[in-house]
Amino acid sequence: MPAPIRLRELIRTIRTARTQAEEREMIQKECAAIRSSFREEDNTYRCRNVAKLLYMHMLGYPAHFGQLECLKLIASQKFTDKRIGYLGAMLLLDERQDVHLLMTNCIKNDLNHSTQYVQGLALCTLGCMGSSEMCRDLAGEVEKLLKTSNSYLRKKAALCAVHVIRKVPELMEMFLPATKNLLSEKNHGVLHTSVVLLTEMCERSPDMLLHFRKLVPQLVRILKNLIMSGYSPEHDVSGISDPFLQVRILRLLRILGRSDDDSSEAMNDILAQVATNTETSKNVGNAILYETVLTIMDIKSESGLRVLAINILGRFLLNNDKNIRYVALTSLLKTVQTDHNAVQRHRSTIVDCLKDLDVSIKRRAMELSFALVNGNNIRGMMKELLYFLDSCDPEFKADCASGVFLAAEKYAPSKRWHIDTIMRVLTTAGSYVRDDSVPNLIQLITNSVEMHAYTVQRLYKALLDDISQQPLVQVSSWCIGEYGDLLVSGQCEEEEPIQVTEDEVLDVLEGLLVSNLSTPVTRGYSLTAIMKLSTRFSSVVSIYGSSIDVELQQRAVEYNALFKKYDHMRPALLERMPIMEKTASNGPTEIVQTNGETEPSVPDTKHPPLVTQPANQVTARSHDISVFTIDGSFFVTDDVLLNQWFNI
Amino acid sequence: MARVETCGSRLLRRLRFPIDQSIMIKAILIFNNHGKPRLSKFYEHYNEDTEQQIIRETFHLVSKRDENVCNFLEGGMLIGGSENRLIYRHYATLYFVFCVDSSESELGILDLIQVFVETLDKCFENVCELDLIFHVDKVHNILAEMVMGGMVLETNMNEIIIQVDAQNKMEKSETFIFQSPRQDR
């Protein structure tokens, strides 16, 4: 058999393929060759074959038949083999395959190998994909290596230890002794990974956090040296000495100082120093400043320092670099809860960011704007936000609309303003409004008793203009069904009442039923609205009883029966909806899980008790919606279905 | 009576500093302007199909970005959605994308990508896409000296290059000692 081709050859060949099919064919051919080569147990070329397999895996072709071969390579004596073997293990294997456990012994041996690079490979692989069983078995070896004086191995052992702790948290205690003098290392690589290890331990265990608090002075000293030391070519990045290490230390300081006055006190000076002295012309400087700001905001810093931090963020907001602006918005979002007033000062800049071209910045600015809305600035902010809603990309509209509704509900200066705002959202972004908003809006409208006439009039006018936006149509239908009599009698006080006849209203609702733009849910709403109007209007309408949609059909048939057989009950059944109480479970933040029907969430979804009544008597209770069994035979339908009837 | 949440607080909840969220790079991807993968390294477990889908989805998200917008994006649905960020840099014909979780410092990662690319440049002498294509295993080796288990291992370029060179030398010497066929893949 000829020697298997080299990886480079394979790559060259694949690149000549002009179509996906051609490429697939070449790959399949090579896979077959590799498979037969594996079967021959050829040690010489195994390395080459696995390398090719990994390349094909990257392109998306299956490579699982190479898993065992990787293990054989790992077990080989040659460094070259081991290198590819371990890489293959990391790319092809994970803890879901039982095969990976076979590696444990090899890794154990390699952790004790005489060559540091082999030890390094083993640590790397264990740290990347070691399963809990493997970690348990090998934790001891890792701990040993954490104490070695070889800095190359020490730094890898530290990160490997982090992985072990994540997989098997109970083993954390084991690494404690080894951490004793980690920070006295001179080697920056070791320092860096040690700080990561300490951070992990502190984040996972409050006891460890207490224990490591005593390291704060040492950390402060290291940070000081980094800042004060002159130019150090080894660690310099754009004129700043090892910015990555500075950022890591700042983060650890943040965790250590979080709820502790003494530690926070000890850090104050150094934080002020970093905040004022760091060069901001390059990205690295800004990365450090950003981390410093987060730390200042999170620990118990004195107020002067906090103001300094927010001002730095304010400066970031005006920076030309988009990345800096993005990062500033993100951190302001994190601090707006605790330092609300300070962030308010930058409100106008934030609102300006809504007009930025960058989608990521717009999103952050929108979230931050909503967080900044309060009773004082609601009118101004809402103007900006509604303008944003008009002009923003579709991906934002749903979130923005929901945010506007929440804000309006919380801070609306007047009921009329509230209704106007809702109208504005429904007409401009009506199709993006979330389904669960419809019942919430209906509830809101019902509760604003004095605004009923105004609301129904405006909604009616909107409906005349446009029936394509389903949430708008649904809310309008419901309102017309409930308050149609107010509409026709021209009782609106807030604005000029319009002249509408009963027939016109019914025509509009019928129009909704037949329109192709209406979804089945919308049709359900309008059908029920027409039904309700039968008590409010004097004329009787015909009902659509042969719709293809089962839901509509059922409703129509039952409504029809209501007209024919139980006409005496009709007025009571279709009485005006009472004011709905809002309880904890049905605030606007709840998403109502229904079978696609949207309903006001006030009637509890728990099935109400069956109330049996004598045939010619009817009760309607205002909050629990009871089911009526009238003569047993006809109205024996689903509780839930009848439930839906009488509430929509 | 339960409080109605403040407008932004639902959105804020996921940004508050999570105590037990690991500092982690979830994936490092390099692909070209047409979406062809040049390096894919995942530090979290996904099956093969999902990995390919993630690569495609990431390419889709990143390639439609303008040239003068910021380098940060919310992660795509497959890789964890808004819990994660995509931090990317576009150099000539290649996109370097790091997918990180939201507690990682975005600006720091941007610097890290810069160090990675500069290291590649030193190792390959004016690196270009072809170098990555034909020596993807070498790129993996370099990356392994920088990022381990999803965490940053070493950021000093010279240190990284020293280690990589030493290991390459070991490989070369084995070819000589073991009389094996040339392994320059």
Side-chain angles (χ1 to χ4, degrees):
Chain A
M1 214 190 117
I5 61 172
R6 290 204 233 148
L7 175 60
R8 196 176 299 182
E9 278 308 312
L10 175 67
I11 297 177
R12 220 173 267 142
T13 317
I14 291 179
R15 278 165 66 75
T16 62
R18 273 161 304 178
T19 64
Q20 187 73 14
E22 230 181 294
E23 182 185 281
R24 213 173 310 139
E25 214 183 290
M26 292 175 184
I27 300 257
Q28 273 171 355
K29 215 171 102 201
E30 186 57 35
C31 273
I34 293 178
R35 274 194 153 103
S36 36
S37 185
F38 283 161
R39 267 196 297 272
E40 290 178 12
E41 297 283 335
D42 187 332
N43 288 340
T44 336
Y45 294 111
R46 185 175 288 132
C47 183
R48 189 182 281 185
N49 284 328
V50 170
K52 286 186 283 186
L53 207 55
L54 293 179
Y55 179 76
M56 295 191 285
H57 170 81
M58 180 180 75
L59 291 181
Y61 297 95
H64 43 269
F65 59 92
Q67 285 168 1
L68 267 175
E69 303 299 316
C70 291
L71 294 180
K72 291 182 195 160
L73 282 174
I74 291 173
S76 151
Q77 289 308 311
K78 289 158 65 176
F79 179 70
T80 319
D81 284 352
K82 281 188 194 283
R83 215 179 188 189
I84 288 285
Y86 276 120
L87 178 62
M90 281 194 277
L91 291 175
L92 298 180
L93 286 173
D94 60 61
E95 40 191 66
R96 286 169 299 180
Q97 282 107 4
D98 295 325
V99 171
H100 83 280
L101 284 168
L102 297 172
M103 276 199 304
T104 317
N105 215 26
C106 282
I107 295 186
K108 188 170 194 158
N109 292 335
D110 284 340
L111 283 174
N112 292 311
H113 204 273
S114 49
T115 315
Q116 65 172 6
Y117 295 114
V118 175
Q119 289 174 295
L121 284 177
L123 279 170
C124 185
T125 310
L126 182 61
C128 278
M129 44 85 65
S131 63
S132 335
E133 294 92 13
M134 283 170 76
C135 287
R136 244 184 265 270
D137 286 338
L138 299 169
E141 308 293 329
V142 175
E143 198 257 343
K144 240 187 350 205
L145 287 171
L146 195 51
K147 299 195 276 217
T148 174
S149 54
N150 179 329
S151 50
Y152 176 72
L153 290 178
R154 213 171 181 197
K155 75 184 180 199
K156 290 200 172 189
L159 285 190
C160 198
V162 175
H163 180 84
V164 169
I165 292 175
R166 282 178 186 172
K167 283 287 180 195
V168 192
E170 305 90 65
L171 291 176
M172 191 169 11
E173 300 285 319
M174 189 175 160
F175 294 103
L176 192 50
T179 61
K180 219 187 305 217
N181 50 9
L182 274 178
L183 287 184
S184 25
E185 259 280 353
K186 289 279 174 276
N187 180 301
H188 279 216
V190 179
L191 268 179
H192 187 257
T193 56
S194 306
V195 173
V196 174
L197 176 59
L198 292 171
T199 309
E200 184 75 21
M201 291 168 96
C202 291
E203 274 181 338
R204 281 189 180 263
S205 151
D207 292 329
M208 291 287 179
L209 181 62
L210 279 163
H211 173 81
F212 285 125
R213 272 227 173 95
K214 61 179 194 274
L215 291 176
V216 170
Q218 206 174 358
L219 287 166
V220 169
R221 236 186 351 259
I222 298 175
L223 195 52
K224 202 173 207 147
N225 283 336
L226 283 172
I227 306 172
M228 306 301 275
S229 67
Y231 175 70
S232 150
E234 251 179 55
H235 304 119
D236 180 87
V237 180
S238 304
I240 298 190
S241 189
D242 208 341
F244 296 98
L245 183 57
Q246 289 193 36
V247 165
R248 279 277 172 249
I249 293 179
L250 282 165
R251 177 170 288 180
L252 181 55
L253 285 175
R254 174 154 80 235
I255 294 168
L256 291 174
R258 207 169 243 155
S259 350
D260 186 59
D261 290 323
D262 290 329
S263 309
S264 305
E265 170 98 32
M267 303 175 201
N268 253 316
D269 286 342
I270 191 70
L271 288 173
Q273 212 174 355
V274 175
T276 42
N277 287 347
T278 308
E279 183 66 45
T280 58
S281 52
K282 291 275 177 56
N283 190 56
V284 279
N286 287 320
I288 296 175
L289 266 184
Y290 173 55
E291 205 68 34
T292 313
V293 165
L294 289 180
T295 304
I296 292 175
M297 300 314 292
D298 227 10
I299 65 173
K300 294 187 176 264
S301 45
E302 40 181 57
S303 57
L305 204 52
R306 292 183 94 85
V307 170
L308 178 61
I310 301 248
N311 288 344
I312 292 178
L313 286 181
R315 269 209 316 274
F316 273 6
L317 271 182
L318 300 168
N319 196 309
N320 281 332
D321 190 335
K322 295 220 186 262
N323 294 328
I324 308 286
R325 287 220 293 280
Y326 175 89
V327 146
L329 287 170
T330 311
S331 14
L332 283 172
L333 204 43
K334 286 184 186 142
T335 61
V336 74
Q337 297 283 48
T338 45
D339 293 80
H340 192 91
N341 292 330
V343 181
Q344 281 282 3
R345 244 175 270 142
H346 301 280
R347 197 178 65 239
S348 48
T349 324
I350 293 168
V351 168
D352 279 337
C353 288
L354 284 172
K355 306 192 183 87
D356 200 301
L357 294 166
D358 184 335
V359 162
S360 309
I361 290 187
K362 271 205 278 229
R363 178 170 286 284
R364 284 277 170 265
M366 178 183 84
E367 291 169 356
L368 195 49
S369 302
F370 279 122
L372 286 177
V373 169
N374 63 24
N376 293 330
N377 56 34
I378 178 73
R379 285 189 193 265
M381 287 295 277
M382 198 49 82
K383 221 189 316 206
E384 296 284 346
L385 287 166
L386 285 172
Y387 180 71
F388 175 68
L389 184 62
D390 277 338
S391 54
C392 69
D393 301 324
E395 59 188 282
F396 289 118
K397 291 208 192 229
D399 284 329
C400 192
S402 300
V404 167
F405 287 146
L406 277 171
E409 196 175 319
K410 240 197 134 187
Y411 299 111
S414 75
K415 286 232 149 79
R416 160 115 190 227
W417 182 94
H418 196 173
I419 302 284
D420 282 340
T421 308
I422 292 176
M423 289 292 313
R424 176 83 186 272
V425 175
L426 285 176
T427 46
T428 54
S431 15
Y432 299 99
V433 164
R434 292 216 172 84
D435 288 339
D436 60 326
S437 313
V438 172
N440 293 334
L441 289 175
I442 288 177
Q443 185 176 35
L444 207 66
I445 293 171
T446 317
N447 292 353
S448 333
V449 177
E450 64 276 14
M451 301 295 300
H452 284 169
Y454 173 68
T455 311
V456 69
Q457 181 159 300
R458 287 212 56 189
L459 284 171
Y460 180 74
K461 284 201 278 199
L463 212 53
L464 289 176
D465 279 331
D466 173 18
I467 60 170
S468 65
Q469 305 196 80
Q470 299 305 296
L472 173 62
V473 172
Q474 287 166 13
V475 174
S476 307
S477 315
W478 191 91
C479 283
I480 294 174
E482 281 293 313
Y483 312 122
D485 51 332
L486 297 177
L487 181 63
V488 167
S489 60
Q491 283 181 22
C492 181
E493 291 162 0
E494 301 278 339
E495 60 174 30
E496 191 66 34
I498 56 176
Q499 303 298 333
V500 184
T501 66
E502 293 174 357
D503 283 328
E504 283 173 340
V505 174
L506 289 170
D507 282 340
V508 167
L509 287 174
E510 279 188 43
L512 291 176
L513 271 178
V514 300
S515 163
N516 287 333
L517 294 167
S518 302
T519 63
V521 172
T522 310
R523 293 208 175 107
Y525 270 92
S526 50
L527 191 56
T528 310
I530 294 175
M531 191 57 202
K532 287 182 192 168
L533 286 177
S534 68
T535 57
R536 321 228 197 285
F537 289 179
S538 44
S539 56
V540 174
V541 299
S542 60
I543 313 284
Y544 294 79
S546 53
S547 164
I548 288 180
D549 188 88
V550 174
E551 166 69 32
L552 286 179
Q553 202 184 100
Q554 182 156 15
R555 285 188 193 218
V557 167
E558 288 174 354
Y559 288 156
N560 218 1
L562 196 56
F563 270 115
K564 302 226 165 59
K565 279 164 88 176
Y566 304 102
D567 209 32
H568 53 281
M569 288 170 51
R570 195 161 43 85
L573 280 175
L574 298 172
E575 222 175 50
R576 178 111 63 232
M577 281 298 286
I579 296 191
M580 302 182 229
E581 237 178 52
K582 224 197 221 176
T583 63
S585 65
N586 52 34
T589 52
E590 273 287 298
I591 297 173
V592 175
Q593 298 286 351
T594 63
N595 59 353
E597 281 284 310
T598 50
E599 13 175 324
S601 44
V602 169
D604 282 338
T605 46
K606 72 174 187 334
H607 295 316
L610 237 71
V611 174
T612 39
Q613 298 284 331
N616 55 2
Q617 220 182 351
V618 158
T619 359
R621 296 210 303 261
S622 59
H623 294 285
D624 294 349
I625 310 302
S626 311
V627 170
F628 309 93
T629 49
I630 298 189
D631 74 10
S633 61
F634 185 79
F635 273 44
V636 176
T637 51
D638 217 21
D639 290 354
V640 177
L641 184 62
L642 275 178
N643 228 341
Q644 293 166 346
W645 263 35
F646 294 112
N647 295 303
I648 296 175
Chain B
M1 178 109 171
R3 276 268 56 222
V4 173
E5 294 188 44
T6 54
C7 334
S9 68
R10 221 183 340 158
L11 303 160
L12 275 181
R13 228 186 290 140
R14 62 175 154 82
L15 283 165
R16 221 169 282 151
F17 234 139
I19 271 281
D20 51 296
Q21 185 133 20
S22 332
I23 309 165
M24 195 146 160
I25 299 173
K26 307 269 184 188
I28 296 179
L29 306 171
I30 306 179
F31 42 76
N32 70 4
N33 290 347
H34 303 293
K36 214 125 177 95
R38 294 300 175 212
L39 180 116
S40 332
K41 181 84 178 155
F42 289 87
Y43 294 101
E44 259 195 346
H45 301 309
Y46 300 100
N47 66 34
E48 285 175 3
D49 283 329
T50 317
E51 285 187 0
Q52 289 300 313
Q53 279 172 334
I54 289 175
I55 296 174
R56 272 198 295 276
E57 186 189 51
T58 310
F59 168 66
H60 181 71
L61 286 170
V62 155
S63 57
K64 63 179 183 183
R65 302 275 287 171
D66 229 354
E67 274 312 305
N68 51 1
V69 298
C70 70
N71 300 87
F72 314 124
L73 267 181
E74 307 253 299
M77 287 305 299
L78 288 168
I79 200 156
S82 49
E83 292 297 312
N84 297 327
R85 303 240 187 292
L86 296 173
I87 301 176
Y88 71 98
R89 275 212 127 117
H90 192 187
Y91 295 95
T93 59
L94 291 172
Y95 284 99
F96 285 72
V97 186
F98 279 45
C99 178
V100 306
D101 75 26
S102 47
S103 65
E104 192 67 66
S105 161
E106 290 105 341
L107 294 177
I109 294 290
L110 218 49
D111 289 330
L112 187 65
I113 299 180
Q114 183 72 18
V115 172
F116 182 36
V117 173
E118 280 179 21
T119 311
L120 287 176
D121 203 36
K122 266 272 180 61
C123 287
F124 287 104
E125 273 157 58
N126 295 322
V127 67
C128 64
E129 192 181 338
L130 276 179
D131 291 314
L132 297 189
I133 295 172
F134 282 99
H135 300 287
V136 63
D137 54 335
K138 287 206 172 51
V139 182
H140 267 292
N141 293 335
I142 295 172
L143 188 57
E145 294 300 323
M146 285 185 70
V147 179
M148 188 179 122
M151 295 168 278
V152 177
L153 172 66
E154 176 67 64
T155 55
N156 182 325
M157 190 167 69
N158 293 326
E159 184 68 27
I160 298 167
I161 293 175
I162 291 172
Q163 306 299 348
V164 168
D165 280 345
Q167 294 182 67
N168 290 342
K169 227 185 266 165
M170 268 187 75
E171 277 197 22
K172 278 210 174 64
S173 67
E174 271 181 355
T175 318
F176 183 65
I177 293 172
F178 288 94
Q179 305 279 321
S180 33
R182 275 189 63 188
Q183 294 291 1
D184 56 339
R185 295 170 293 273

